Amino acid sequence: MKQQMVAELRQIVGSSYVMDGLEDRICYSFDATFRDFPPDVVVKPGSVGEVAAIVKLANRYQVPVTARGAATGLSGGAVPVKGGISLVLTRLNKIIEIDTANRLAIVETGVITEDLVTAVNQAGLFFPPDPASAKTSTIGGNVAECAGGPRGVKYGITRDYVLGMEVVLPDGSVVELGNKFDSEMAGPDWGMLLVGSEGTLGIVTKVYLKLIDKPNAKQTLLAIFSSLDDAAQTVSDMIASGTIPTTLEIMDNLTIRAVEEFLKVGLPVTAEAILLIEVDGSMASIGKQAEHVMRVCKKCGATAIQAASTPEDIDKLWRARKAISPACGKINPTKISEDATVPRSQIPAMVRRLREIAKKYDLKMVIFGHAGDGNLHPNILSNKHNQEEMARVEQAVEELFQAALDLGGTLSGEHGIGYMKAPFLKWETGEIGFAVGKKLKDTVDQQGILNPGKMFDL
Amino acid sequence: MKQQMVAELRQIVGSSYVMDGLEDRICYSFDATFRDFPPDVVVKPGSVGEVAAIVKLANRYQVPVTARGAATGLSGGAVPVKGGISLVLTRLNKIIEIDTANRLAIVETGVITEDLVTAVNQAGLFFPPDPASAKTSTIGGNVAECAGGPRGVKYGITRDYVLGMEVVLPDGSVVELGNKFDSEMAGPDWGMLLVGSEGTLGIVTKVYLKLIDKPNAKQTLLAIFSSLDDAAQTVSDMIASGTIPTTLEIMDNLTIRAVEEFLKVGLPVTAEAILLIEVDGSMASIGKQAEHVMRVCKKCGATAIQAASTPEDIDKLWRARKAISPACGKINPTKISEDATVPRSQIPAMVRRLREIAKKYDLKMVIFGHAGDGNLHPNILSNKHNQEEMARVEQAVEELFQAALDLGGTLSGEHGIGYMKAPFLKWETGEIGFAVGKKLKDTVDQQGILNPGKMFDL
């Protein structure tokens, strides 16, 4: 039966876009998490029509379909845990239109985030969501996981920019959901259900995205602290003080040292923590905002504050931020990256809990992340071949999720649920919420074709 | 059976909060639209527990439940077209918390919009959505219809400020949906389904709302035009030019004259159209923005531009804007207020179509609205007792919806669907989208208890 299905897939997309050899299946068996689940076959459609035909075929053969973009995901959303078809959407990579009059971009799902950002920038507008993986991640993947990024503090996350979308439903029919224009609102916004749904409710093939004004000016600051608690308190005080920076990133000492070792950009390796802060806005307002930021940092105990004055200095700081993941990867081979998120006022408490957890389970944990919107990235650096250590990691991760929920937070700020957090989703939704989610999933996807084993399907 | 149910309702909420006399039923039979559908009984619960008990009771008796706030709705969302229980939520009117540290308000569903705006303002923050009915409309109603308002141009509409909510599901169970904090994102955002759902999927009892920074300064301008087309073109050019005003309201000559007759505030009654424009932001940026706005207005043919310099002048202009509805009500008793919305670039074309439609059906139509986000409010002034005229109104409304959809727009920018637009919803969603909507509604509300006869239940 598999050979027959593969032959039909070749007819739909052409032979060169169907791969079922072992080496190809292995290449598509993982994302940026640490477990492998090979699909039975990898298919790369070139149009929404082909996506629809593949989904119809999958219904006929009762085979799972798991959509995949660039697979930079940190929760395992694109990994085909039940095998079947890995539906790779990277060929749908056209920026269809940047409509400056209506401040809207229409893009295919496989467009790379940075390509869109660049095109929008050239058109004189601004698309804020900036996941660290922007150079490779696709818009479809950002939508599927509701990706965020440093600018989330001020500008919000992917869902704040999704107006509508074209979707292939689990039965292979094609529908437009949501609102093409910002001000539309006719009935419940079904489109929003697809944001963060990891391809469990439909395959997003085209997205309508909201664009905004470009800020005229920005200022980047580096605040240095001799205590992680002081840095965390600064974040909380900053937000409460009424000035929302564009970015408000925290890095603890272990993170600073890892990055400096990796990149040699002159980070202060003896600091217990740094905050990387950017403010933007009109030329006129920037100076005042920066002054305010410095005032709050000093009040909370910053030992030094540096303003990056040249484009090179600014670039250096951001390269440092973006190098955290590869830098940590060099320390230990297996990096468990979490994104449990708490109310901004609870950042100091969460940082304390994280350090207790790392100590309790004797694990190497770096703490960094988008502190400004409560979205910390505790990363546990370990080795997946050390089973005893991985057992401790597992316990620590559970405790970390519980800590976030205890503090009024959430399992995920931007990485999604994937196979890694699916077992914990019920802690967050509660029994009733989970039951509603499951009932809706079962209604939309009656055959259970789309990305089984994720979200509400355990 | 009805008497038995009413008796049980009295046990749940107390006798003084259950009304089934004819005069009471008539009082709760209508909203700001023009048709009457009396409920069998009116109930005013005082807690989420009472709401849940009522919904469970309704399931037992198989009786419809239609939620109602202040009933200022313009599409008929709160009107119980199939009778049953009118569930009046105005007693749930507590502002539970304004959390400045996390920039979040937690309110019960029956809080009046203006009460929240005032409280948030006193806390030093800003809640932008400002429907014209803000003095009476409730937050729950705003969520149910996804209300907008003049500030939508720059700040977005209700859905942009809803983080999460407490909901009584159709079976009477209570669940928290969505995200309490801005940066949370764990799985599909079921909460967003409730926004704009008119109580067809659940009864919202508590809402978590996002708050933002208060702008430091604002400037209000009045631009006068001798041609409605010029004013419409100004709107389109303004948005495309990259300066987004806080408000960008259009009023045609008939509207201007109606308001001036009603209010005597010195509006230019010979002008073919005016634009009421406000810009806000930092003190430093305001002057530049206002200059830019004036430049665009002049380029597009404004014959005069006045800057309101005193708080009294500003207040006078906004009183004029908010008086449109009552002023028009004085001309003719029945006011059919539509909110078909088009892409901003299509505002000039839509204005032309509206005038053609008014002429074709020989109807008195005033044109005003939130032009800046494409959300025009053509109001047809008629008399519901004139059947021949009402037949023409009906045809005109249909043609008006078709025009909006032809131009890439939507049936509703902010008034919702209600009983008035339900027959046209399929034009917008398409057959497949409608079928999905219906399937999801039937799944969530298996007994069809909540607000039957609306949205996907025709």
Side-chain angles (χ1 to χ4, degrees), chain B residues 382-412:
Chain B
S382 53
N383 182 340
K384 69 175 175 180
H385 302 297
N386 180 340
Q387 287 189 0
E388 181 276 326
E389 189 185 54
M390 288 308 277
R392 279 182 284 129
V393 168
E394 219 164 276
Q395 288 177 294
V397 165
E398 250 192 75
E399 205 162 317
L400 180 163
F401 290 145
Q402 195 57 62
L405 294 173
D406 287 348
L407 292 169
T410 174
L411 295 178
S412 174

Side-chain angles (χ1 to χ4, degrees), chain A residues 185-186, chain B residues 338-341 401-402 404-405 409-413 416-417 421 424-428:
Chain A
M185 188 66 222
Chain B
E338 291 306 338
D339 66 326
T341 300
F401 290 145
Q402 195 57 62
L405 294 173
T410 174
L411 295 178
S412 174
I417 303 301
K421 291 177 213 163
F424 307 104
L425 185 55
K426 204 181 276 184
W427 292 3
E428 175 148 353

